[in-house]
């Protein structure tokens, strides 16, 4: 069974939350909430991207993180 995690990247560095979310839709909703509400990662990686990546390493969703 695939799991999903949320990744942040700015072209220089990247990080991920370490989640093992079982539903792709839930992971995407969580990522969209992080974009809407903001958090440490969206501030640190402003101008980069936020992505939902499955356990096989495939990005299944991605959006740019707006600069502040």
């Amino acid at each position: 069974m695939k799991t999903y995690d949320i990744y942040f990247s700015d072209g220089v560095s990247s990080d991920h939350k370490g989640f093992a979310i079982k539903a792709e839709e839930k992971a995407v909703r969580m990522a969209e909430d992080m974009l809407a509400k903001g958090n440490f990662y969206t501030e640190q990686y402003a101008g980069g991207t936020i992505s939902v990546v499955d356990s096989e390493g495939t990005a299944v969703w991605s959006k740019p993180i707006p600069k502040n």
Side-chain angles (χ1 to χ4, degrees), residues 1-9 14-32 34 49-63:
M1 173 195 279
K2 288 185 184 180
T3 58
Y4 302 88
D5 197 1
I6 299 173
Y7 280 74
F8 303 85
S9 176
S14 65
D15 209 341
H16 63 96
K17 294 295 284 183
F19 295 140
I21 302 165
K22 294 181 182 174
E24 179 180 339
E25 297 81 15
K26 181 176 180 180
V28 169
R29 277 194 313 270
M30 289 175 68
E32 288 175 335
M34 288 178 192
T49 58
I50 181 172
S51 304
V52 174
V53 179
D54 69 21
S55 52
E56 295 175 353
T58 303
V60 297
W61 176 92
S62 184
K63 282 197 174 178

Side-chain angles (χ1 to χ4, degrees), residues 36-55:
K37 296 176 184 173
N39 67 17
F40 170 79
Y41 290 104
T42 57
E43 291 173 12
Q44 183 177 349
Y45 290 97
T49 58
I50 181 172
S51 304
V52 174
V53 179
D54 69 21
S55 52

